Amino acid sequence: MSDKDQGVSRRQFLNYTLMGVGGFLVAGTVAPMLRFAIDPLLQVGQEKDMVAVGDISEFGSEPTRREFQLRVNDGWTEYDVDQTAWISVNEDGEVLALSPICTHLGCAVMWEGNENEPNRYFCPCHNGLYERDGVNVPGTPPTRPLDTYEYEVGDDGKLYLGQPVQRGGV
């Protein structure tokens, strides 16, 4: 029986098999490169979403706790994340919006949370202390200042907060 009598010759079978395996290997090599090239289009944009947390006149030199929600676009999903900030405005009109998350282990800090430490932020987990401006007190567990929120004061007089920004350490 000759090769022509069969539907697929041995040579054709080997060619098809090698082309299939070769195509699979090329696809496995090219796919990560395409993913690398397209990935920035799929990434979450560095949008500066800001949320109004109140009128700037509501805040004074005494830190005020304010809760708000930030909209997060994470790939294919969008959701709101609850945030909290300690907000104060100094005599020069500069806004300080601090994250209440302790930089030591992530517990929530409270303004004047310890009666023995007035005018300071106190972390009850490991007795961490921060000054009014959010700088950690030396000799206490936190190793860097509290994070601050991006902010802007709108033309409408409202204070807008954005994402928290990490400050440098000691």
Side-chain angles (χ1 to χ4, degrees), residues 47-114:
E47 299 173 7
K48 299 283 183 187
D49 287 338
M50 304 292 258
V51 175
V53 294
D55 196 274
I56 191 68
S57 62
E58 297 175 20
F59 305 103
S61 61
E62 191 72 16
T64 303
R65 182 183 167 106
R66 189 59 53 107
E67 295 180 1
F68 60 102
Q69 289 187 331
L70 276 177
R71 189 90 180 144
V72 175
N73 184 358
D74 188 14
W76 302 105
T77 60
E78 268 189 48
Y79 51 93
D80 293 328
V81 175
D82 294 329
Q83 300 282 333
T84 304
W86 287 99
I87 303 169
S88 61
V89 179
N90 67 14
E91 300 85 29
D92 299 330
E94 295 176 8
V95 175
L96 180 62
L98 297 172
S99 169
I101 299 172
C102 180
T103 58
H104 177 229
L105 289 179
C107 299
V109 299
M110 297 294 294
W111 173 248
E112 296 183 332
N114 184 345

Side-chain angles (χ1 to χ4, degrees), residues 86-160:
W86 287 99
I87 303 169
S88 61
V89 179
N90 67 14
E91 300 85 29
D92 299 330
E94 295 176 8
V95 175
L96 180 62
L98 297 172
S99 169
I101 299 172
C102 180
T103 58
H104 177 229
L105 289 179
C107 299
V109 299
M110 297 294 294
W111 173 248
E112 296 183 332
N114 184 345
E115 61 186 29
N116 296 327
E117 299 291 341
N119 293 324
R120 285 182 167 170
Y121 292 97
F122 176 72
C123 177
C125 293
H126 296 100
N127 298 325
L129 290 173
Y130 298 90
E131 299 292 349
R132 177 182 287 268
D133 61 358
V135 174
N136 54 311
V137 174
T140 61
T143 56
R144 63 179 179 83
L146 292 172
D147 296 339
T148 59
Y149 284 97
E150 298 173 332
Y151 76 91
E152 63 185 32
V153 179
D155 294 336
D156 54 359
K158 293 192 182 293
L159 176 64
Y160 294 87

